């Protein structure tokens, strides 16, 4: 198994463990996972092809949909609503 695949599996486990934490403790690991995901997806795409990278991006977007919508609205200049 390749290094990008192993790191991708470890990223999924880290995201799962982060989701199990209380909300106030999720911010620091969540931001770290949010920043490292695109780098890891590009590496997986280079090593294994674009199909797996697109599948990984779909899973990433599903898991981080609220932060991604927030940053998208901020980039457009709108005042984003913070989900509760």
């Amino acid at each position: 198994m390749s290094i990008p695949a192993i790191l991708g599996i470890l990223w999924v486990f880290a995201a799962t463990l982060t989701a199990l934490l209380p909300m106030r403790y999720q911010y620091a690991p969540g931001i770290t996972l949010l920043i490292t995901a695109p780098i890891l997806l590009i590496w997986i795409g280079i090593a294994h092809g674009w199909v797996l990278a697109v599948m990984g991006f779909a899973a990433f977007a599903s898991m981080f949909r609220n932060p991604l919508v927030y940053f998208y609205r901020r980039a457009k200049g709108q005042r984003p609503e913070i989900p509760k």
Side-chain angles (χ1 to χ4, degrees):
M1 191 177 295
S2 69
I3 292 175
I6 292 170
L7 291 176
I9 292 168
L10 291 175
W11 187 94
V12 169
F13 284 131
T16 303
L17 291 174
T18 300
L20 295 174
L21 294 172
M23 193 63 188
R24 65 178 176 259
Y25 297 123
Q26 287 183 4
Y27 292 111
I31 294 294
T32 305
L33 290 168
L34 190 65
I35 292 170
T36 59
I39 298 165
L40 185 57
L41 286 171
I42 291 169
W43 194 9
I44 289 172
I46 291 170
H48 297 287
W50 66 271
V51 174
L52 289 177
V54 168
M55 289 171 43
F57 179 76
F60 166 73
S62 172
M63 290 171 57
F64 285 93
R65 64 187 167 273
N66 287 335
L68 292 173
V69 168
Y70 175 82
F71 289 127
Y72 174 74
R73 288 183 180 156
R74 288 278 308 258
K76 285 181 62 177
Q78 298 174 351
R79 184 171 183 202
E81 297 177 19
I82 298 175
K84 294 182 181 184

